[in-house]
Amino acid sequence: MFKSYSLKEIAELTRNYKLLIILLAFALIGFSNPIFAKLTPEILATTGYQIDIPEPMLIDSWIQFYKNIATLLIIYIILFCANIPNELTNNSLINMVTRGLPRSTIILSKFTVISVLWIISYYLCFGITAIYSPLLLDGSLPNIFVASIFPAVFGILMISLMLLGAITTKHIIGSLLVPFGFYGLSSLLSISDQLAEYLPTHLMSSLSLITDEATISDYTIPLVITLMLISFIIAVTITIFNKQSI
């Protein structure tokens, strides 16, 4: 049942062109990261202001990557926020549940498909950036792949929170409010240096690994906390959904 429902989710993504749009968007950003980093001095020069800008280096492309990936994550959540609320509103889940489809399978399938697509899209953007940046920019950087893991995991946490919001409120607003509310609260708490290194949002700052301003061990605790949160949130989401009337 899990496989069949997951294939149904994938078929819908293909049919409504969401899959194609997401992959193209992430690929485009992947190409734009090194290009924008390379052309920034020339763009600023056209403004007429005399600004002393150093020659763009490889790190500038990865700065663009981390800036853009945060925006792409927000857009990604917005694209999927209506998935469950629409199905609940249209009563399209009733027939499946009455025919014996476990509610846990619905949640796990949606979580798996959306998360896997996120990882594929994320690393498509990452891969294109990694391939083309050295062709346009000089420099060498350590830990690029390791650093990429942490924002990818944080994205999965946001997906789990989106599903929790969707099931809890049965509304698009709830699908957005829960993940972005969590992100906003975590960002506020991260003002405290003592708390920042333990919060999941710390994973989004893994650019510091590339610039040698941090070590991998600095991200171990927030990574473990994030993985535990993902498991807990999905378990809570399934429990709530099992007790709801559709």
Side-chain angles (χ1 to χ4, degrees):
M1 288 186 176
F2 174 84
K3 181 180 179 181
S4 298
Y5 193 82
S6 297
L7 290 174
K8 189 271 293 183
E9 290 289 304
I10 295 172
E12 288 184 0
L13 290 175
T14 304
R15 187 165 52 250
N16 58 24
Y17 300 104
K18 189 177 290 185
L19 176 63
L20 179 61
I21 292 170
I22 290 172
L23 293 177
L24 286 176
F26 276 74
L28 181 62
I29 295 300
F31 282 111
S32 73
N33 290 327
I35 293 173
F36 187 80
K38 180 71 174 179
L39 297 180
T40 294
E42 297 180 22
I43 295 172
L44 293 177
T46 61
T47 62
Y49 294 98
Q50 291 186 349
I51 306 174
D52 186 15
I53 303 174
E55 184 71 19
M57 301 295 290
L58 188 61
I59 185 60
D60 295 303
S61 179
W62 289 106
I63 291 173
Q64 290 296 324
F65 173 83
Y66 278 88
K67 286 180 180 178
N68 289 330
I69 211 63
T71 303
L72 286 173
L73 176 57
I74 293 173
I75 295 172
Y76 192 83
I77 295 297
I78 292 173
L79 284 173
F80 284 97
C81 69
N83 186 286
I84 290 180
N86 283 346
E87 291 191 352
L88 291 173
T89 301
N90 298 332
N91 297 321
S92 59
L93 294 177
I94 293 179
N95 289 336
M96 298 181 185
V97 172
T98 54
R99 291 176 182 176
L101 179 66
R103 297 190 183 197
S104 60
T105 298
I106 296 174
I107 299 300
L108 291 174
S109 294
K110 290 183 178 295
F111 172 72
T112 300
V113 170
I114 297 173
S115 295
V116 169
L117 179 55
W118 159 250
I119 295 298
I120 292 173
S121 304
Y122 176 89
Y123 276 104
L124 175 63
C125 181
F126 171 85
I128 292 174
T129 302
I131 291 171
Y132 281 93
S133 293
L135 299 178
L136 298 177
L137 303 162
D138 295 327
S140 60
L141 297 169
N143 300 320
I144 291 177
F145 179 76
V146 174
S148 73
I149 295 172
F150 302 114
V153 173
F154 182 79
I156 296 175
L157 173 63
M158 292 288 282
I159 292 168
S160 68
L161 287 166
M162 177 192 68
L163 295 176
L164 175 62
I167 290 298
T168 303
T169 66
K170 300 182 180 181
H171 201 280
I172 295 175
I173 294 177
S175 300
L176 296 174
L177 185 61
V178 172
F180 294 142
F182 175 87
Y183 186 86
L185 178 60
S186 296
S187 297
L188 287 175
L189 292 175
S190 65
I191 295 175
S192 169
D193 294 335
Q194 294 178 334
L195 289 176
E197 59 185 12
Y198 299 106
L199 295 171
T201 45
H202 187 56
L203 299 180
M204 294 297 287
S205 66
S206 60
L207 177 66
S208 299
L209 274 176
I210 299 176
T211 58
D212 277 336
E213 296 174 7
T215 62
I216 295 174
S217 61
D218 294 329
Y219 294 88
T220 302
I221 294 177
L223 177 63
V224 172
I225 291 174
T226 301
L227 292 173
M228 292 174 64
L229 273 175
I230 292 171
S231 300
F232 175 74
I233 291 167
I234 292 300
V236 170
T237 303
I238 292 173
T239 300
I240 294 173
F241 192 37
N242 284 334
K243 295 180 179 181
Q244 282 181 339
S245 59
I246 299 179

